Amino acid sequence: MNEDLINLKNQTIAQIGDVKSLDDLEQIRIDLFGRSGKVTKATHNLKNTDPEKRRQTGILINEIKNTLENQIAEKKNSLKVTIREWFDPTIPIRLPKIGHLHPTSIVISEMVEIFKNLGFSITEGPEIESDKYNFELLNLPKDHPARSLQDVLYIDEPEILLRSHTSSVETRMIEKLKLPFRVIVAGKCYRFENVNASNNAMFYQFQGVALQKGLSLADLKGTLFYFVKSYFGEDRKIRFRCKYYPEVEPGVGLDLDCTFCNQKGCSVCKGRGWLEMIGAGMIHSNILKNFGYKSSEISGFAFGMGLDRIVMDRFKINDIRSLYNGDIKNI
Amino acid sequence: MKIPINWLEEFVEIPSDLKKLTHDLTMVGHMLDKIEEKNGETILDLELRGNRADCYSILGIAREVSAIYGNRVKTLQTVLLTKVKKLKNISLNVKTPFVKRVGMVEVKDVKIMKSPKWLSDKLTNYGMESINNIVDLTNYVMIETGEPIHAFDLDKVGDNIEIRLARDGEKITTFTDGQIKLTHEDLVWASGPEGLRPGGQVLSIAGAVGEKYNSISDSTKNILIEAANYNRANIRRMIYRHKLLTEAGIRHEKNLDPNIVDLAISRFLYLIKKYNWGKFNPEVYDYYPSRVSPCKINLTYNYLKTLGGVDIKFSEIKNILSKLQFEVVKKDKEELTVLIPTYRTDVILTEDLIEEIIRIYGYDNIPTKTLALEIPKNVTLNYILQEEKFRNSSEALGFDEVISLSFIKKEYLDKNIPVDKGNLKVVSIQNPPSPDTRYLRATLFPNLLDSTLKIINDRGEVAQLFEIGKIYLKNGNRYIEKRKIGLISWNENKKNFSDFKSLVHALFAKMGIKSPEYLHEILNITLSDSYVLKFMGKEIGFGGKLNDIYYIEIDLDMLLGQEKKYNMSLWPKFPPQIEDLTFTIPAKTYIGNVMRVISELDSRISNLSLKDIFSDSYTFNLEYQDPDKTLTNDEVEKIRNKILSAVKSKFGASIKS
């Protein structure tokens, strides 16, 4: 008899779990506790039981009664809530105000992350610069032909200007830091430009400088390849070629395959199939000399790239002006 | 440099695959800009290299082709020149040290005519206009050799000419009818003060452009041909001053080899003779006070290896040098001495020579090594980490980042006012490309306001922006850059100051910096409800509002290093005692100050907040807590009494029972 009772309890609990309506639940209750319900009957039958087992069975019946009554009550509540209060999880919401970083900031932190892995520190320098740090100490003496490539914005001609490249930070760092060092700088630069969709008087450059005994062109190549493959993808084609910059010797130009046309030639790559990406080289011995270093004892490399183009490609922005005039709509 | 393929082939054999040629030229330093087809001819446009004056010529590029493939450059046909002390009809007086070399010859009975087709085609394909056979021939030889040549009408220039600095205000009408007013820094050819044509009239601007009357015309019979070499920097300043970026000018502003002067003249005479366009004695007047000889460079193999990162066998080095026409004059186990031809004015230092060897060896053959050296010390600047943290915290609080130009647009100039104390001025640009780039920003406010107004005009619902960047100021002769963060907020459903202030406080909390004090103050900038921010007794910023737009600007340098190192604490083990106190406070009392005074009274006041305001009654909620024990009623009463007497004496406030 006790076994039957335990089975009844377990079966009923399962039934209660499956019930979908209040009517069905009421039916279960009547089947158990109604005038001829199973539990009611079992209580009636108690008096016919062996007095020795009566007490034990009585306790069991009570326990079953309590458990099932509770279960029914709980189920009743949950059915009531579901039925009475309509719940719609598809309801539209209003987003709380979410902040966004500027695309240029995002690109800078991604790049910085890669160079941190290579032991580079992050630094900066003044934007209002002197001719000395922006040109003279960089092996760009007055009347150097390469100066005409950089029409400068002057604050107080000819000495005080807005830095025309982040290389000015290179000279500042060679002067300031103890060897060896590796630093990167990402910052604003300025040139005399008539503003249009692809030129702005202010732009961002990303520059790296390393000065350490034993650095070679092979280290520069390895560093740039590591960066380019990490940032732009393992499968990108790289052209590592000889190029002239007064600040370096030997000099390097690094180009990436144009993915806009698969190197067939398009307006983005000006029909070349390659995009000029990085200017680099071994720091010119004249620059080392300017700071009292001997090129036979120490060597270093420097590289620089324009950031705006990279940001524009990454975020599909066509007009350079929209980067810095508040036109960016955050979604 | 434009290189017509057919012309190049007259100098050197080239690969039949044009793609290979342009790729190889690109790799050694002459990037292909584009390929043009003109009148059925293929023209390579190679990027100009500022240090390779020799490559502004077909000959120069032919030498590069030869250095790559080892094909020999054909010798140009020339006439043999004899040097004379004085030309028959004319003498030259060089009056400045800016002239390094001049070669002059006279050519008689010239036939001036329209250029034959081969010559005019060559020039037009290169990109120069055909004028007449003689002028075209001077240009032709310039394109071939890189040395500009100029032809004067010998019968007009007189018998005595000089090269001198111009006088201020001296004028010249150029060959192309331009009027140029000269300065005392300009270098000119002029007729001498005495002789057949006295008066010192300017005949040409040296190395750039000829004067109209003295240039050759259809009626010219005899000509004076000159090729010269000047101080590069002087020519450069002059051509930029007068915007004379002529074909001759852009060559003379580079480091041209003085030794190509006679090559150009003898080549010119050879062609005159060949086409029978004039008669001459091959006599040249050569002014060449200090002769330039090939320089010697020492190169240790070890330095080549350590700088280049590549181990090149000696036989390979020798082969490369010979393809470059560099002569090895001495060699031993460790070192080479190399003689550099004078036309390679760019190869002066050992590193230049190393680049030469490596670029011909091939940049592709350099291995990639990744900094297998000691990792240098981390020298990342603290303020960069601070900016990064401010940037991320502002973003987390729902602000969008703006990066704006460092300039202030014309229409916002009235808002570009330095707010910081001191005699600070706005910095201006002397040569702005447009009126909108004339002034640098003295506050981040105008540009953030501009971005906010854009959002409002575009029917946005909320603008919550920040910018981290520099402002620029002038103090006397000193230029100052200060790092700032500006935060701006506007909401369609008008929010009040405390909504904005709570965001600012949240930013400070997130940064782990103590909240600043607010001091109501009227500023010189156009903001109402304005205030200055104080932190540890120093002014760190300001704020205020314009219509419904709230703005605050904070100096980042002032807050540098103020972040708490550990921005956390554990839940206290003993419960606080909590009570509400209601005070009657006189009108126009800054309630923040009242609260600051209360909270600084006793370290056991663990929490204080304003619960309610009803007319002049302020209800504060206070929590008293000791980290080490539960406070007794007596102890709390003592603290409460301290509060009551402090607010009474400082603010005249009384407790409401």
Side-chain angles (χ1 to χ4, degrees), chain B residues 113-132:
Chain B
M113 58 174 106
K114 202 168 154 258
S115 284
K117 193 170 179 313
W118 69 266
L119 180 55
S120 59
D121 279 357
K122 274 236 153 72
L123 289 187
T124 40
N125 285 345
Y126 171 80
M128 285 184 88
E129 204 187 331
S130 172
I131 293 166
N132 61 45

Side-chain angles (χ1 to χ4, degrees), chain A residues 85-188:
Chain A
E85 289 171 28
W86 170 242
F87 169 64
D88 178 5
T90 70
I91 195 160
I93 46 87
R94 224 183 155 83
L95 265 184
K97 179 73 189 76
I98 294 185
H100 300 79
L101 294 181
H102 190 277
T104 302
S105 284
I106 293 170
V107 168
I108 290 173
S109 12
E110 287 168 350
M111 289 187 174
V112 160
E113 213 46 51
I114 296 169
F115 281 102
K116 272 187 186 167
N117 290 344
L118 293 171
F120 281 79
S121 300
I122 313 149
T123 193
E124 243 298 5
E127 291 172 26
I128 299 178
E129 257 302 358
S130 62
D131 185 87
K132 185 176 151 195
Y133 288 96
N134 195 70
F135 287 126
E136 205 78 32
L137 288 170
L138 277 167
N139 198 33
L140 278 154
K142 296 211 166 59
D143 302 315
H144 192 288
R147 281 203 179 193
S148 49
L149 301 173
Q150 305 192 359
D151 284 330
V152 169
L153 290 181
Y154 281 105
I155 286 170
D156 202 347
E157 204 179 350
E159 287 308 321
I160 309 293
L161 43 84
L162 284 174
R163 72 180 181 202
S164 58
H165 46 203
T166 38
S167 304
S168 60
V169 185
E170 175 182 335
T171 42
R172 295 246 168 218
M173 289 305 127
I174 300 177
E175 182 177 73
K176 183 179 144 194
L177 295 178
K178 284 206 184 96
L179 301 191
F181 70 79
R182 294 173 200 165
V183 290
I184 43 171
V185 47
K188 291 174 174 174

Side-chain angles (χ1 to χ4, degrees), chain A residues 94 97-102 104-105 116 118-128 142-148 152-157 160 162 176-177 180-183 188 190-194 200-202 204 212-223 225-226 239-244 249-252 255 270 272 276 282 284-286 295-296 299 301 323-327 330, chain B residues 23 26-34 47 49-51 232-233 236-237 240 253-254 303 305-309 349 351-352 354-355 358-359 363-381 383-384 388 391-392 395 397-407 427-433 437 440-441 450-451 454 461-462 464 466-467 470 472 479-481 493:
Chain A
R94 224 183 155 83
K97 179 73 189 76
I98 294 185
H100 300 79
L101 294 181
H102 190 277
T104 302
S105 284
K116 272 187 186 167
L118 293 171
F120 281 79
S121 300
I122 313 149
T123 193
E124 243 298 5
E127 291 172 26
I128 299 178
K142 296 211 166 59
D143 302 315
H144 192 288
R147 281 203 179 193
S148 49
V152 169
L153 290 181
Y154 281 105
I155 286 170
D156 202 347
E157 204 179 350
I160 309 293
L162 284 174
K176 183 179 144 194
L177 295 178
F181 70 79
R182 294 173 200 165
V183 290
K188 291 174 174 174
Y190 306 85
R191 282 182 200 173
F192 186 97
E193 290 280 4
N194 289 310
N200 218 347
M202 184 193 93
Y204 266 81
Q212 186 165 20
K213 190 178 171 65
L215 282 180
S216 74
L217 204 51
D219 290 299
L220 171 61
K221 190 173 179 181
T223 303
F225 275 48
Y226 175 84
R239 191 163 74 174
F240 187 81
R241 60 187 166 89
C242 178
K243 186 168 163 77
Y244 169 65
E249 190 75 27
V252 172
D255 309 329
K270 294 175 191 142
R272 294 168 186 163
E276 289 188 81
M282 304 307 292
H284 201 285
S285 58
N286 286 348
S295 59
S296 54
S299 56
F301 62 69
L323 272 182
Y324 306 120
N325 69 356
D327 267 357
N330 291 299
Chain B
H23 174 260
T26 297
M27 290 303 289
V28 301
H30 307 281
M31 189 182 75
L32 176 71
D33 193 5
K34 54 183 178 290
E47 192 184 48
R49 274 184 70 136
N51 65 335
R232 190 191 63 65
R236 179 183 155 75
R237 284 194 291 268
Y240 277 88
E253 72 135 0
K254 314 256 161 17
Y303 189 36
K305 201 170 131 186
T306 54
L307 190 70
L349 304 167
E351 293 82 12
D352 300 326
I354 288 173
E355 182 183 88
I358 291 173
R359 75 185 179 102
Y363 271 37
D364 274 343
N365 298 324
I366 301 168
T368 50
K369 230 169 80 183
T370 315
L371 297 168
L373 296 164
E374 173 202 349
I375 295 176
K377 222 167 74 179
N378 185 357
V379 288
T380 296
L381 296 167
Y383 76 70
I384 286 176
E388 194 182 312
R391 190 172 287 120
N392 292 333
E395 183 207 11
L397 289 167
F399 286 86
D400 292 330
E401 187 184 16
V402 168
I403 296 179
S404 71
L405 296 179
S406 307
F407 311 103
V427 180
S428 60
I429 305 293
Q430 281 183 335
N431 57 334
T437 47
L440 291 179
R441 62 189 186 193
D450 186 43
S451 292
K454 228 170 230 172
E461 292 162 10
V462 53
Q464 211 163 286
F466 79 99
E467 177 164 13
K470 283 175 172 172
Y472 313 86
Y479 293 95
I480 305 163
E481 295 172 28
N493 313 308

Side-chain angles (χ1 to χ4, degrees), chain B residues 231-459:
Chain B
N231 175 293
R232 190 191 63 65
N234 191 283
I235 300 289
R236 179 183 155 75
R237 284 194 291 268
M238 188 167 72
I239 63 173
Y240 277 88
R241 187 157 48 236
H242 299 303
K243 300 187 176 62
L244 292 171
L245 294 160
T246 59
E247 287 284 337
I250 60 163
R251 287 174 170 81
H252 276 301
E253 72 135 0
K254 314 256 161 17
N255 238 335
L256 275 175
D257 173 19
N259 291 331
I260 61 171
V261 161
D262 25 8
L263 171 72
I265 289 176
S266 60
R267 176 65 175 163
F268 180 83
L269 293 180
Y270 171 84
L271 294 167
I272 287 284
K273 192 170 154 193
K274 181 174 174 187
Y275 296 104
N276 197 22
W277 286 341
K279 295 188 190 111
F280 59 85
N281 286 323
E283 288 177 345
V284 62
Y285 171 79
D286 192 4
Y287 170 84
Y288 197 6
S290 50
R291 191 172 186 82
V292 174
S293 317
C295 74
K296 277 184 198 164
I297 296 179
N298 290 337
L299 171 71
T300 59
Y301 302 129
N302 193 39
Y303 189 36
L304 170 65
K305 201 170 131 186
T306 54
L307 190 70
V310 58
D311 204 355
I312 309 175
K313 276 188 286 194
F314 173 70
S315 58
E316 181 64 31
I317 296 174
K318 219 182 123 184
N319 180 36
I320 290 169
L321 292 174
S322 99
K323 286 198 286 186
L324 284 163
Q325 308 280 312
F326 292 3
E327 193 189 335
V328 177
V329 289
K330 213 178 97 193
K331 68 158 215 162
D332 58 36
K333 265 193 178 162
E334 274 148 24
E335 202 174 56
L336 273 180
T337 305
V338 181
L339 203 60
I340 311 295
T342 55
Y343 57 80
R344 290 304 304 272
T345 49
D346 61 311
V347 182
I348 304 155
L349 304 167
T350 312
E351 293 82 12
D352 300 326
L353 182 58
I354 288 173
E355 182 183 88
E356 286 304 303
I357 294 167
I358 291 173
R359 75 185 179 102
I360 301 301
Y361 178 73
Y363 271 37
D364 274 343
N365 298 324
I366 301 168
T368 50
K369 230 169 80 183
T370 315
L371 297 168
L373 296 164
E374 173 202 349
I375 295 176
K377 222 167 74 179
N378 185 357
V379 288
T380 296
L381 296 167
N382 286 335
Y383 76 70
I384 286 176
L385 302 175
Q386 181 207 31
E387 284 178 16
E388 194 182 312
K389 208 169 161 197
F390 261 108
R391 190 172 287 120
N392 292 333
S393 301
S394 306
E395 183 207 11
L397 289 167
F399 286 86
D400 292 330
E401 187 184 16
V402 168
I403 296 179
S404 71
L405 296 179
S406 307
F407 311 103
I408 297 294
K409 282 199 267 183
K410 238 174 32 189
E411 62 258 41
Y412 286 106
L413 286 179
D414 62 330
K415 299 194 170 57
N416 193 37
I417 296 158
V419 182
D420 293 4
K421 304 270 179 327
N423 189 20
L424 300 170
K425 297 223 159 62
V426 172
V427 180
S428 60
I429 305 293
Q430 281 183 335
N431 57 334
S434 80
D436 284 344
T437 47
R438 184 171 201 97
Y439 296 99
L440 291 179
R441 62 189 186 193
T443 151
L444 302 176
F445 177 55
N447 291 350
L448 276 170
L449 176 65
D450 186 43
S451 292
T452 304
L453 293 178
K454 228 170 230 172
I455 292 172
I456 296 173
N457 290 339
D458 286 342
R459 291 180 300 151

Side-chain angles (χ1 to χ4, degrees), chain B residues 79-239:
Chain B
V79 296
L80 205 62
L81 297 175
T82 320
K83 287 189 182 173
V84 292
K85 284 253 166 62
K86 190 188 168 305
L87 292 179
K88 218 169 189 177
N89 299 298
I90 201 153
S91 65
L92 175 74
N93 189 3
V94 177
K95 294 176 107 168
T96 99
F98 296 123
V99 182
K100 293 195 208 159
R101 189 176 186 187
V102 183
M104 299 197 309
V105 291
E106 294 171 357
V107 181
K108 301 285 177 62
D109 302 328
V110 291
K111 291 173 199 147
I112 309 276
M113 58 174 106
K114 202 168 154 258
S115 284
K117 193 170 179 313
W118 69 266
L119 180 55
S120 59
D121 279 357
K122 274 236 153 72
L123 289 187
T124 40
N125 285 345
Y126 171 80
M128 285 184 88
E129 204 187 331
S130 172
I131 293 166
N132 61 45
N133 60 334
I134 299 299
V135 173
D136 288 359
L137 199 62
T138 60
N139 287 329
Y140 177 84
V141 172
M142 172 182 72
I143 297 163
E144 276 196 331
T145 63
E147 170 66 31
I149 298 179
H150 187 66
F152 291 107
D153 188 323
L154 183 60
D155 302 314
K156 288 180 181 166
V157 295
D159 59 349
N160 172 17
I161 54 179
E162 56 186 25
I163 306 176
R164 61 166 167 85
L165 289 172
R167 289 181 282 272
D168 281 323
E170 219 169 350
K171 282 189 192 121
I172 170 172
T173 306
T174 66
F175 185 62
T176 49
D177 277 324
Q179 289 279 339
I180 291 171
K181 204 167 151 190
L182 298 163
T183 78
H184 66 276
E185 287 177 275
D186 297 333
L187 196 61
V188 294
W189 286 61
S191 55
E194 289 154 22
L196 279 176
R197 274 199 58 211
Q201 201 207 336
V202 176
L203 305 174
S204 76
I205 297 181
V209 70
E211 192 273 339
K212 192 176 182 183
Y213 170 79
N214 298 286
S215 297
I216 51 176
S217 61
D218 291 347
S219 58
T220 299
K221 292 202 170 54
N222 305 307
I223 58 173
L224 174 72
I225 292 295
E226 60 93 348
N229 191 292
Y230 308 101
N231 175 293
R232 190 191 63 65
N234 191 283
I235 300 289
R236 179 183 155 75
R237 284 194 291 268
M238 188 167 72
I239 63 173

